[in-house]
Amino acid sequence: MPPKNLLPENLLPKSTKPSPLQSLQSGTWFKLICGASYQELPAIRNLALVYSLAGADCIDVAADPAVVAAAKEGIAAAERVAAEHSRPYQRPWLMVSMSAGEDPHFRKAWFDPAVCPALCPRPCEKICPADAIEVGGVVGDRCYGCGRCLPVCPWGLIEAKSHPTRLSDVARQVLTQADALEIHTQVGQFEAFKQLWQVIKPWSHNLNIISISCPDAEGLIGYLKDLRRIIVPHSSSVKALNVMWQTDGRPMSGDIGKGTTHAAIRLAQKVIASDLIGYVQLAGGTNQYTAPKLNALNLLHKSPENSRNNCQTGDRMVSGVAYGSFARCLLMPVIGQTLYLEEVSLTLWKAVAIAESLVKPLKQSVVSK
Ligand code: SF4
Ligand code: SF4
């Protein structure tokens, strides 16, 4: 995928849109999750291109140099397209995701196709949302570890193999190119988190925000406070980093159905009700029902006037929503494996309109109240 030349600075579109930080502060932050172990490069480039044009504040990708390069290409292509069409544009932050300890986001499915019975109707292939299962088995670069194929094999042949990020190999390369970092963790992984942070720390001054993604568990709030003390020690003389809590309700399930959004909302309410300092952003089960539901519960900001200090404790609301499997599944039938989507104008704008149908309800929550 050869990189295309970037536009000179003076030809870039002038932004009339809020910056990602302003979106966080006003509760309208939209993040696209490409998937912590999703490595299908043309699809990542297209997803980044389309959601950047649709107004995403952040594109979250695997901490893999090739994936980061593909996402950056998509974001740069969006900037060129916006300039060509005199379209308001705000470059989204690029976030990379890493794992502290074992984490299901970094697993991939595996089976030996040689032992599959010839009569098998191949339910694994049908259920895979990423078209990652072929006659030859699982295509590792496409599998993002959602786990749906595991229980459907009548012979129980599919297993999950852990693919932890080899951080020391990639930290410098990806963190110097990223605007933001996400660390996936679970209650009880404190030592693994500490070790990870030691590797990351030298590069943290480049970052606008650190996101901590954690599912619910007993002792969650205390665990998150311990992590925050590592990231932002009281004695720190450097500028305090912005911290965001990603409430990972029901991981990788947003495209399954309406009800999946409830776990993420419940978890966000729990974090908001605590005295944890940091922005709160939903993920895990988010879909088209999430923003309307948050609005109905008065959890999104009502107006820009009362949106200050959203990361402080007290009168706090949700800062934004991250969409993963739902956002990807929405677009994949349209964009498929098209290379250089920006050169297929009709398809590009159809995809942007679909992406906007997910972005706009969140962005409009401020003005509609
Ligand atoms: S169903 Fe999920 S875990 Fe299984 S191969 Fe497809 S993406 Fe990977
Ligand atoms: S469902 Fe099981 S047996 Fe059938 S093709 Fe998939 S892995 Fe093989």
Side-chain angles (χ1 to χ4, degrees):
M1 218 189 292
K4 296 196 169 186
N5 290 334
L6 295 176
L7 280 177
E9 197 67 29
N10 61 341
L11 292 183
L12 289 176
K14 293 241 178 324
S15 173
T16 54
K17 292 194 164 189
S19 69
L21 187 59
Q22 287 170 329
S23 294
L24 270 178
Q25 289 167 341
S26 63
T28 59
W29 158 274
F30 180 105
K31 184 176 90 168
L32 168 72
I33 302 173
C34 284
S37 58
Y38 188 57
Q39 292 164 313
E40 188 76 9
L41 302 183
I44 289 164
R45 185 186 187 279
N46 285 342
L47 286 167
L49 162 63
V50 172
Y51 276 100
S52 297
L53 283 170
D57 295 289
C58 184
I59 310 291
D60 178 1
V61 298
D64 173 307
V67 171
V68 169
K72 286 186 81 163
E73 265 192 48
I75 293 170
E79 211 154 15
R80 286 194 303 274
V81 171
E84 284 159 18
H85 290 80
S86 304
R87 192 182 160 98
Y89 180 78
Q90 173 67 50
R91 189 182 74 81
W93 285 347
L94 181 64
M95 178 180 277
V96 293
S97 280
M98 294 175 176
S99 167
E102 290 297 301
D103 188 309
H105 287 82
F106 293 84
R107 68 182 179 174
K108 286 181 188 284
W110 180 89
F111 65 89
D112 180 358
V115 299
C116 295
L119 50 73
C120 178
R122 301 185 68 78
C124 60
E125 205 174 304
K126 294 185 187 84
I127 204 168
C128 177
D131 291 330
I133 298 182
E134 296 181 348
V135 178
V138 177
V139 182
D141 284 354
R142 289 186 204 155
C143 171
Y144 66 96
C146 73
R148 279 173 224 179
C149 58
L150 271 66
V152 304
C153 174
W155 288 273
L157 296 179
I158 309 177
E159 56 184 286
K161 290 201 169 184
S162 180
H163 283 249
T165 316
R166 284 180 302 175
L167 191 62
S168 54
D169 294 346
V170 296
R172 188 176 63 82
Q173 211 173 341
V174 298
L175 289 180
T176 50
Q177 303 202 49
D179 305 294
L181 165 69
E182 182 158 280
I183 303 174
H184 290 256
T185 184
Q186 293 176 33
V187 175
Q189 293 182 332
F190 186 71
E191 285 307 315
F193 188 95
K194 243 170 45 179
Q195 285 170 16
L196 177 68
W197 184 249
Q198 286 313 309
V199 180
I200 290 167
K201 201 175 163 188
W203 317 109
S204 61
H205 62 273
N206 292 323
L207 304 170
N208 294 325
I209 197 160
I210 305 272
S211 167
I212 306 295
S213 181
C214 194
D216 200 6
E218 200 181 331
L220 173 75
I221 302 299
Y223 178 64
L224 297 182
K225 283 182 180 175
D226 289 344
L227 302 189
R228 196 175 195 287
R229 274 191 284 274
I230 296 177
I231 300 170
V232 192
H234 288 308
S235 58
S236 174
S237 57
V238 294
K239 180 175 78 79
L241 276 168
N242 284 313
V243 176
M244 177 160 72
W245 309 112
Q246 175 164 288
T247 57
D248 204 3
R250 186 173 160 188
M252 295 179 274
S253 65
D255 58 316
I256 291 175
K258 185 175 181 175
T260 58
T261 200
H262 293 123
I265 292 176
R266 272 197 303 275
L267 187 50
Q269 287 173 309
K270 178 175 172 175
V271 176
I272 284 171
S274 77
D275 57 352
L276 263 169
I277 296 172
Y279 298 102
V280 179
Q281 176 231 259
L282 281 78
T286 50
N287 52 33
Q288 79 272 42
Y289 301 108
T290 307
K293 185 74 186 163
L294 287 170
N295 254 327
L297 291 169
N298 263 331
L299 283 171
L300 288 172
H301 281 287
K302 294 174 184 168
S303 70
E305 287 72 40
N306 72 349
S307 66
R308 300 283 173 238
N309 299 322
N310 192 36
C311 70
Q312 303 302 319
T313 57
D315 184 20
R316 194 167 58 159
M317 296 190 185
V318 164
S319 293
V321 182
Y323 299 86
S325 52
F326 184 80
R328 296 192 299 270
C329 289
L330 207 55
L331 282 196
M332 291 318 283
V334 178
I335 63 178
Q337 293 296 305
T338 314
L339 292 173
Y340 303 116
L341 188 61
E342 67 273 28
E343 290 169 9
V344 191
S345 191
L346 269 180
T347 311
L348 171 69
W349 294 112
K350 186 176 175 189
V352 171
I354 294 170
E356 283 178 339
S357 72
L358 191 60
V359 177
K360 279 188 174 168
L362 188 60
K363 295 285 173 195
Q364 288 169 346
S365 62
V366 168
V367 289
S368 64
K369 284 218 170 187

